[in-house]
Amino acid sequence: YYTLGGNRCGHARQTVNIMATMLLSGLWHGAGWTFVIWGALHGTFIVINHQWRLIAAKMKWNLEHWLYRKAGVLLTFVVVSLAWTFFRAPTIGVAGNVLSSLLGVGGFSFPDEWFGHGALRDHLLTPLGFHFVTTTALHIKHYENALGCIAILLIICWAMPNSQQLLSRHHPTLEP
């Protein structure tokens, strides 16, 4: 990135430098289209972030507000998680299938016990593509506990300090 000029040569060139670096980073991880897409997505996210910050500075928005920061963490988590689908998938087709399932292209399945029968379920959710199945039809052991465990783990991930925050007080360095 710095060899290409980094951010010292204007916004258009900086965008090209970011995209080139991230595409090469994708290729470095593996010689497949899924890795190239992974790199392209991350490059695009970085470029969007830089453009958003420029717009916010011109509009004099306070990006340090706690609500903005929490929304930014959530958005970053979601888009990076979706992009990692390409990194882990063996083919673009598999990644597409995983993403369409995640995004509810075939509809969303929920346990019958969550909503019961009523106007909300029958007249609003079912026409929107929501499917209701018994928990035994889901073939997942301990399904009732899974969502609670996921919620607890997400709270831990977002509430606990990360490794950079933990090590920041020690000022680690390779040079004396």
Side-chain angles (χ1 to χ4, degrees):
Y1 176 73
Y2 292 112
T3 305
L4 295 172
N7 58 358
R8 299 180 305 261
C9 45
H11 296 297
R13 180 59 193 248
Q14 180 185 15
T15 299
V16 170
N17 294 344
I18 290 169
M19 291 306 295
T21 302
M22 293 310 296
L23 285 169
L24 286 172
S25 177
L27 280 174
W28 180 79
H29 280 86
W33 285 110
T34 55
F35 294 105
V36 173
I37 292 171
W38 172 83
L41 286 171
H42 277 79
T44 302
F45 299 151
I46 293 170
V47 168
I48 290 171
N49 178 55
H50 284 265
Q51 295 303 316
W52 174 254
R53 290 188 174 276
L54 288 174
I55 292 168
K58 286 180 183 175
M59 302 297 281
K60 297 185 182 356
W61 292 337
N62 178 15
L63 299 183
E64 297 303 317
H65 190 272
W66 70 270
L67 186 58
Y68 168 79
R69 295 181 64 78
K70 296 297 180 192
V73 167
L74 180 62
L75 179 63
T76 301
F77 178 81
V78 169
V79 297
V80 169
S81 295
L82 291 176
W84 272 92
T85 304
F86 287 96
F87 191 88
R88 299 295 300 159
T91 66
I92 294 173
V94 170
N97 288 340
V98 170
L99 287 174
S100 24
S101 294
L102 283 171
L103 299 174
V105 172
F108 295 99
S109 295
F110 289 100
D112 267 332
E113 297 84 15
W114 281 17
F115 291 96
H117 290 280
L120 173 69
R121 174 183 166 166
D122 298 334
H123 300 295
L124 179 65
L125 298 177
T126 302
L128 290 175
F130 289 78
H131 308 284
F132 300 93
V133 295
T134 62
T135 52
T136 55
L138 293 174
H139 303 295
I140 300 173
K141 286 186 177 183
H142 310 294
Y143 179 80
E144 301 80 22
N145 300 330
L147 293 176
C149 289
I150 290 171
I152 289 169
L153 291 172
L154 285 174
I155 290 169
I156 290 171
C157 286
W158 289 338
M160 299 297 291
N162 61 39
S163 58
Q164 291 179 353
Q165 292 167 327
L166 291 172
L167 294 174
S168 67
R169 63 179 162 230
H170 299 292
H171 305 291
T173 183
L174 296 176
E175 298 176 8

